[in-house]
Amino acid sequence: MQRIFLFTLVCFSLSVHAQSKFDQLENILPTGNDIRTSSGAPGHNYWQQKVDYDMQIEIDEENNKLYGKETITYHNQSPDVLSYVWLQLDQNYFSSESASKLYNQEKVEEKMSLSSLNRYENSFDGGHKITSVKTLEGKDLNYFINQTMMRIDLPKPLAKGEKVSFKIEWWYNITNAQTQRGRSGYEKFEDGHNIYCIAQFFPRLCKYYDTYGWQNKQFMGRGEFTLEFGNYNVAITVPSDHLIAATGSLVNEAEVLNAQQQERLKKARNEFEQPITIATLEEANERMLAGKSKQKKTWKFSAANVRDFAFSTSRRHIWDALNTKLPNGKTAMAMSMWPKEGDCLWSKFSTKAVAHTLKWFSHYTIDYPYPVAWSVDGEMGMEYPMISFNFGRCEEDGTYAERTKYGHIGVIIHEVGHNFFPMIINSDERQWSWMDEGLTTFVQYLTEQQWERNFPSGRGPANKIVDYMKSDPSDLSPIMTNSESAKQFGSNAYAKPATALNILRETVMGRELFDRAFKEYARRWAFKTPTPADLFRTLEDASGVDIDWFWRAWFYGTQPVDQSLATVKHYQIDPKDPDTKYELVQNKMKEAPKNISEIRNLTEIKKTYNEIDTTINDFYTSYDRNQPDAISYQEYNKSLKGLTDEEIEMMQNKQHYYELSFENVGGNPMPIIVNFVFENDSIATHRLPAEIWRYDDTIVTKVFVTEKPIKEIILDPYLETADIDRSNNHYPPKEETLRFEAFKQRQNRQGGNENPMQRARKAKEIRP
């Protein structure tokens, strides 16, 4: 018979001036209106501007210069009369007269690279050189330039529903991406055949919208871009032996591709499993051996309803393509270009990673609407509509490190994923980096886990954010901090918002409810400009879950999660014997708790990409990073020399050593998840909503009734809440196993620069 217990919750009165962690956000979020509603949806009077570009671009390869002409047509769809427009001149960030370099602190290190010294000297003659700003009739327009912004005074005020066209001519010195850094430029090779990744290359309209008016905040290097949608027609003139990847569709294919390339591309449009090579490694080598062509070709691209344009050009390029089926039955071409230096990775992974990204980002958001998505080797990570610049290079012997492989795949998924956030769901990157970086990182994690079981994702699950949440509070910023002012930017803009969304999905709302609401956000704001309030309100409106407390804690606050049920730490001697050590690691991994995503993915992900397509499997697919390798045995053999039998026996000792030391300690209110373990080792899981903290966010009391005695209580058993201190999560207190050195410190590593592929070849030769 079930017993019923009566209990009383004690509520401590709050001062009328005190703010509860469960207050609604209405005193923070803007009042809803007919442009942006209180439900988070665009209102019936929502508006946004439109800008069309017609450009002629030429690359001067000998002098690394870009020359450009553009005709801009600006459509005023706002209710306001505009007497001037603002344009972004991002290349002015690299001007020798730019104030942008003065924003950041600098210091001299004991060792400094030449590129760092070059940036200190700031002698590069960068920046847009504007040579002409005229009406279509050829009349000069008044303009002035303020650092990275240019204001053009219109011939007459532009009323609602009117449009104006004007022409700009300019040129600039293309930055060396290895010395000036930045988000575009050229990569210099010793043989003189450079790769050009060209972006932010043209004067482009700032966004004018209801929230901020003109978004003309200066480009300081971190906060990216906020732009209007429009149509682009771009003609790019380059040496005739170059291949180009670009935003949009190639409209003069027959003029710039040879017959063989055209036939291969035609074949690729009907291939949905394995990429088809359009331009081979051998052909790239032949182009480079032939020397730089003195002839020129003009490639023409057209793109509809995009917010930006970028391209890459080089004679080094290898090119492959694969068609991709989207959830709605339509298709999009996944394509890659790369040099021979990255062939071992790019030929195997890149285009398949692009196709995989289009499939799964479409699954979680909206169907990809564009005809193509490119991944180009630019030795950087940056995104633009339909094209991204990524990294991944091979060792000279054709091997690659595990970190390089998964970094290569991960950056492609991330940067191609940016096609959705913010290239389609067009958030204000200059103001809120987290709205594109954090949301992309979140869906990147989901997509990585669909690629390969146990893909080593660096961000996403709650336990991955713990170290950041442990940081000194003075070194933390709320997520709702402007891009240029946020501390620990990578964790603030990428990791924490991605983790927060994953916690909403796994723990607070559940996968099905969250996924429906997240897709609704993507559907509502596709090809529009959402603000944080629109995201917060939509996820609540579409799910029926009040999570104002969550936004307040995770996005407006910096307090960590630390729920407590006292500290006992458990130590063992590091055995040094690689085989024994491996056994201990294996046992520890078996005992380690799994995060909720891993547990659910075991059954919900029926097959990962590599289980469907075994051709992408390689050394690292089944590689056990804990398996002893050559260096492990070398070090162990050295450590045995000079030791007595007693010391060797001590080193093999598997005894345990304990260092012994039970409220919302961290301040961030979260759901309470607790496991009861009974004498027969059966488990009962109880979940209490975060609202249990609403009357007292420091201490709460709850009674549980069971029919069997409890042997153990585990708080946050599935690593769902980002609890920063698990030592107080057990009753009885659970020992934490640590290691200490029991003998001399190991000698300098030998062969430490070898990657696991190389080291695996030696292990059998020196195994004792």
Side-chain angles (χ1 to χ4, degrees), residues 435-450:
M435 287 196 74
D436 70 290
E437 299 297 356
L439 272 63
T440 297
T441 301
F442 165 62
V443 187
Q444 173 192 350
Y445 165 67
L446 302 180
T447 302
E448 287 173 345
Q449 296 308 302
Q450 294 283 356

Side-chain angles (χ1 to χ4, degrees), residues 23 78 130 225 321 323 327 333 343 364 366 440 447 535 580 613 645 712 733 759:
D23 281 351
S78 79
I130 305 296
F225 321 111
N323 212 346
M333 292 295 291
D343 190 61
Y364 291 114
I366 60 168
T440 297
T447 302
L535 171 65
T580 304
D613 182 358
D645 291 341
E712 182 182 7
R759 286 154 55 179

Side-chain angles (χ1 to χ4, degrees), residues 711-731:
K711 180 176 68 173
E712 182 182 7
I713 300 173
I714 308 171
L715 187 60
D716 191 25
Y718 306 118
L719 310 181
E720 297 181 56
T721 67
D723 194 314
I724 67 170
D725 185 4
R726 292 187 54 77
S727 67
N728 57 19
N729 285 20
H730 299 267
Y731 178 82

